[in-house]
Amino acid sequence: MNHRIKLLVGALTLACAGGAYAADPIKIGVSGPYTGGSSSMGVSMRDGVRLAAEEINKKGGVLGRQLVLVERDDEAKNERGVQIAQELINKEQVTAVVGYINTGVALASQRFFQDAKIPVFNNVATGSIITHQFKAPENPDNYVFRNAAHDSIQAPMIVEEAVVRSGYKKVAILADSTNYGQLGREDLEKALAAKGVKAVATEKFNIKDVDMTAQLLKSKEAGAQAVLTYGIGPELAQIANGMAKLGWKVPIVGSWTLSMANYIDNAGANGSGARMPQTFIQEPNTPKRKEFIDAYLAKFKPKNNRIDSPVSAAQGYDSIYLLAAAITQANSTEGPKVRAALEDLKAPVEGVVMTYDRPFTHDDHDAITANLVVFGEVKDGRVVYAYPDDMKATAQPRKKDAKASADASK
């Protein structure tokens, strides 16, 4: 009898242990700048991620397990990003990581996840090289994915808007000194060259610079009819305010970061009219977007009911649903299996930016193509659609342009 009792107790112990193991949470790292000049992007991304994870967990989680977010503030510093990457891999043992706002931080950090065969989901950083950092044949498999509009999409759009659509043949480029700014500058120069145009002035500035007078005077004296920018909100606001002090009013057309709250708020009226590519504008023009916007505003209560960085929030939200779909399809949290599932997602994933229908392949890890990006404009303290037709177009189902993606990956 005692032997039977011991066997029964042992079996129950094993069953309980097995049940506990099956219920272990799935850890997802979330790395971004939650303080400093990039924080409006980082916090918005993080909150979009939180919202998606909460919704998924309320519905039972993934594979019957809850998602647990391991959040870390990388402070937009490369060295801090590297420390966090090692911590997330070695101490936290995350299944995947999402985030990265700054191109430099992404490039410095994601090599550790590549080596550990853990998927990295860039949901904001746009440097063109990010998803091509680990190329074949040296790297048969690439663990870096993205659902943001990379700079090889944005730069030609910026040039098309300024040079072709608006007719400005004399343009200046103002870009910050970070990897993001300088890689973006290179993309702008390539896009201008394709139109037979060379910038009349190309100026650099540093993060935290508060006086752009010298750069703006050179651009003005060179006869620039428009200023093309690659930087982040605080310094972009200094450009707009510096132009106002000089009494020099020409259009600003730049990368998506002109939509940041700390550009709009710090520039005030001087920032009005700036245009930038956007994957998402805070406009409830589909049921899914209305649901997302309403839930975000109710939960996080941003100032003036305006998401600080709508693009970051929406792409952060979508990245978690894409990861959840891949883990479900793989029926595993093992990195190689999740990567393979992302490269061959069988079922469409309804997101805020779009419905993702086979967004990735083995050789193409960028979900966004140029046909999915529209122009936003700063107006009355927020970003609106620059062209009414774009608002109508984005309300319709949209698909990734597979041909454009194939051409870009060549």
Side-chain angles (χ1 to χ4, degrees):
M1 180 65 71
N2 286 340
H3 180 65
R4 287 181 181 176
I5 291 172
K6 287 178 181 177
L7 286 174
L8 180 59
V9 169
L12 287 171
T13 302
L14 284 172
C16 290
Y21 177 77
D24 280 352
I26 297 172
K27 289 186 176 183
I28 306 294
V30 190
S31 185
Y34 310 137
T35 54
S38 296
S39 61
S40 67
M41 296 182 286
V43 171
S44 297
M45 177 276 293
R46 182 197 65 195
D47 289 348
V49 165
R50 285 180 176 178
L51 185 61
E54 182 181 278
E55 291 174 358
I56 291 167
N57 284 339
K58 282 181 179 177
K59 294 174 183 176
V62 180
L63 303 181
R65 298 160 65 181
Q66 295 284 284
L67 297 180
V68 169
L69 304 178
V70 184
E71 300 170 356
R72 294 291 183 271
D73 181 2
D74 63 34
E75 304 171 31
K77 296 176 181 176
N78 295 3
E79 62 278 13
R80 177 67 181 139
V82 166
Q83 292 171 352
I84 288 169
Q86 294 171 318
E87 179 187 346
L88 291 176
I89 294 165
N90 300 320
K91 180 182 177 183
E92 299 294 344
Q93 298 182 335
V94 296
T95 292
V97 63
V98 300
Y100 293 122
I101 305 299
N102 307 90
T103 293
V105 180
L107 293 174
S109 307
Q110 59 194 20
R111 67 181 68 254
F112 296 96
F113 297 102
Q114 175 73 18
D115 290 343
K117 297 184 178 180
I118 294 174
V120 181
F121 218 114
N122 279 272
N123 50 28
V124 180
T126 60
S128 299
I129 194 176
I130 281 175
T131 50
H132 301 281
Q133 189 176 13
F134 307 107
K135 291 183 177 180
E138 295 86 358
N139 300 276
D141 295 312
N142 179 9
Y143 282 80
V144 181
F145 295 81
R146 172 165 52 192
N147 66 319
H150 56 79
D151 294 331
S152 295
I153 291 173
Q154 292 190 59
M157 287 185 68
I158 293 164
V159 170
E160 183 76 17
E161 175 70 16
V163 174
V164 179
R165 188 176 274 173
S166 302
Y168 303 121
K169 303 303 180 186
K170 292 183 176 182
V171 298
I173 298 174
L174 269 67
D176 72 31
S177 59
T178 67
N179 280 344
Y180 171 67
Q182 292 307 299
L183 289 170
R185 172 191 56 75
E186 290 177 9
D187 285 328
L188 280 177
E189 289 173 339
K190 290 175 188 174
L192 285 169
K195 300 295 182 185
V197 175
K198 184 177 181 180
V200 296
T202 303
E203 297 297 318
K204 185 190 295 187
F205 55 88
N206 297 315
I207 297 295
K208 297 185 178 179
D209 279 0
V210 295
D211 186 358
M212 305 291 181
T213 304
Q215 295 96 322
L216 291 171
L217 278 173
K218 288 179 183 177
S219 302
K220 182 182 179 184
E221 289 166 1
Q225 300 166 303
V227 172
L228 313 185
T229 63
Y230 251 90
I232 61 171
E235 291 75 42
L236 295 174
Q238 295 299 339
I239 291 173
N241 292 335
M243 291 169 68
K245 287 177 185 176
L246 292 174
W248 184 45
K249 184 62 177 174
V250 297
I252 298 175
V253 186
S255 62
W256 77 275
T257 46
L258 282 164
S259 64
M260 291 172 63
N262 50 16
Y263 166 75
I264 296 171
D265 293 343
N266 292 341
N270 299 329
S272 257
R275 289 187 173 182
M276 76 302 290
Q278 299 280 273
T279 59
F280 173 76
I281 289 171
Q282 189 183 329
E283 180 69 42
N285 59 341
T286 69
K288 180 67 176 180
R289 290 185 195 128
K290 184 179 189 311
E291 178 186 322
F292 165 74
I293 293 167
D294 289 349
Y296 189 102
L297 298 181
K299 184 172 181 63
F300 303 111
K301 298 177 174 57
K303 181 181 176 182
N304 298 324
N305 281 335
R306 182 199 64 193
I307 302 172
D308 273 7
S309 178
V311 166
S312 304
Q315 291 170 179
Y317 178 91
D318 285 358
S319 69
I320 292 296
Y321 273 96
L322 285 162
L323 261 181
I327 294 168
T328 301
Q329 181 176 304
N331 195 32
S332 173
T333 57
E334 295 175 23
K337 292 180 180 179
V338 176
R339 173 196 54 75
L342 279 169
E343 293 172 344
D344 186 28
L345 284 173
K346 306 294 186 186
V349 176
E350 186 182 11
V352 176
V353 173
M354 65 171 183
T355 295
Y356 299 83
D357 188 358
R358 295 189 177 274
F360 308 111
T361 65
H362 182 270
D363 299 319
D364 175 16
H365 283 196
D366 277 296
I368 304 296
T369 45
N371 63 304
L372 301 167
V373 187
V374 299
F375 260 92
E377 180 178 328
V378 177
K379 185 177 181 181
D380 298 328
R382 58 201 312 121
V383 174
V384 299
Y385 284 91
Y387 299 100
D389 287 348
D390 282 345
M391 184 164 69
K392 295 176 185 176
T394 58
Q396 305 304 315
R398 299 182 299 160
K399 290 185 177 181
K400 177 177 180 176
D401 184 342
K403 182 180 183 302
S405 188
D407 291 343
S409 63
K410 286 180 181 177

